[in-house]
Amino acid sequence: MYKSIQLLDKTFRLYIEAAEIDRAVSRLAREINRDMEGARPLFLVVLNGAFMFASDLLKEVTVEGTTVIFTRLASYAGTASTGEIKELIGLTGEVAGRNVVIVEDIVDTGRSIAHLLEMLKARGARQVKVAALFYKPDALEREVTIDYAGIALKNDFVVGRGLDYDDLGRNLPDLYTLAP
Ligand code: IMP
Ligand code: MG
């Protein structure tokens, strides 16, 4: 574990250690296992950032009939949200009639989740829940309910655990924040 790291022009310092994140992931898996029994849940993983969370979470999901599909959205350039959501890969499976759980790395402004909720309802999902490893309460612009909420963060840019700065830092197991 590094105390601080350099990515391109920016220095990041250790914010949340992997062990604490692992505990949050396990708690979310337990909540999902409790709620989704019998629901044959369909997990929609939002690439790229959610790949690591999804991998860790789904290993601990034990509900029968679990299936996993993917989509890829992009809204960030550098360290700021552009406010525009681009769909780079559409849904890789059918959601009609399914109990969907969106798997997101982080809910920041909430625009991506709001966009997905609307799209999934339009495509006939029976129920849509949201699982997010991290969320920034002070950045939220939309009213979105996070049904399975991991760790609340202060409103600063972070990298690690799937989250990137211009594609760097995604593979770090710990979470880092921009040094002041
Ligand atoms: P939202 O639509 O503003 O909620 O942002 C959602 C997406 O922006 C997330 O799924 C991330 O991929 C990205 N994002 C938000 N905050 C950060 C951050 O602090 N670091 C890296 N990516 C972020
Ligand atoms: Mg994301």
Side-chain angles (χ1 to χ4, degrees), residues 108-179:
D108 180 32
T109 63
R111 285 195 208 109
S112 304
I113 289 292
H115 169 90
L116 285 169
L117 286 170
E118 213 169 283
M119 188 260 274
L120 292 168
K121 286 290 177 199
R123 296 195 188 187
R126 182 170 176 275
Q127 178 194 59
V128 185
K129 303 271 189 196
V130 176
L133 180 54
F134 302 111
Y135 58 104
K136 297 180 189 166
D138 296 336
L140 209 56
E141 294 172 7
R142 300 293 166 92
E143 274 206 28
V144 294
T145 303
I146 306 174
D147 304 279
Y148 304 103
I151 300 175
L153 305 180
K154 56 193 169 65
N155 193 8
D156 288 325
F157 189 75
V158 292
V159 294
R161 208 69 186 207
L163 292 151
D164 70 300
Y165 169 50
D166 278 350
D167 280 328
L168 295 170
R170 285 194 202 278
N171 58 313
L172 298 162
D174 308 281
L175 195 73
Y176 292 80
T177 188
L178 263 184

Side-chain angles (χ1 to χ4, degrees), residues 29 38 55 58-59 63 86 98 102 108 129 137 150 156:
S55 169
L58 289 164
K59 279 178 280 188
V63 184
K86 283 189 238 140
R98 299 297 303 268
I102 299 172
D108 180 32
K129 303 271 189 196
D156 288 325

Side-chain angles (χ1 to χ4, degrees), residues 6-152:
Q6 181 76 26
L7 298 175
L8 303 174
D9 57 325
K10 298 203 189 309
T11 308
F12 294 83
R13 61 187 156 72
L14 184 63
Y15 180 19
I16 300 175
E17 293 185 16
E20 183 179 342
I21 303 170
D22 292 341
R23 283 193 293 276
V25 173
S26 296
R27 171 176 56 80
L28 298 181
R30 282 197 301 277
E31 292 173 9
I32 288 169
N33 288 335
R34 180 198 62 204
D35 293 353
M36 291 289 155
E37 197 54 58
R40 308 186 69 79
L42 174 73
F43 291 86
L44 170 59
V45 180
V46 186
L47 299 172
N48 287 336
F51 81 96
M52 195 177 281
F53 172 43
S55 169
D56 293 339
L57 179 79
L58 289 164
K59 279 178 280 188
E60 297 188 46
V61 168
T62 54
V63 184
E64 199 200 322
T66 288
T67 46
V68 187
I69 64 170
F70 300 87
T71 188
R72 181 170 174 211
L73 303 180
S75 61
Y76 256 65
T79 62
S81 174
T82 61
E84 183 202 352
I85 297 154
K86 283 189 238 140
E87 190 177 293
L88 303 178
I89 300 176
L91 295 185
T92 63
E94 191 53 62
V95 298
R98 299 297 303 268
N99 296 307
V100 179
V101 182
I102 299 172
V103 181
E104 255 289 27
D105 49 1
I106 188 167
V107 175
D108 180 32
T109 63
R111 285 195 208 109
S112 304
I113 289 292
H115 169 90
L116 285 169
L117 286 170
E118 213 169 283
M119 188 260 274
L120 292 168
K121 286 290 177 199
R123 296 195 188 187
R126 182 170 176 275
Q127 178 194 59
V128 185
K129 303 271 189 196
V130 176
L133 180 54
F134 302 111
Y135 58 104
K136 297 180 189 166
D138 296 336
L140 209 56
E141 294 172 7
R142 300 293 166 92
E143 274 206 28
V144 294
T145 303
I146 306 174
D147 304 279
Y148 304 103
I151 300 175

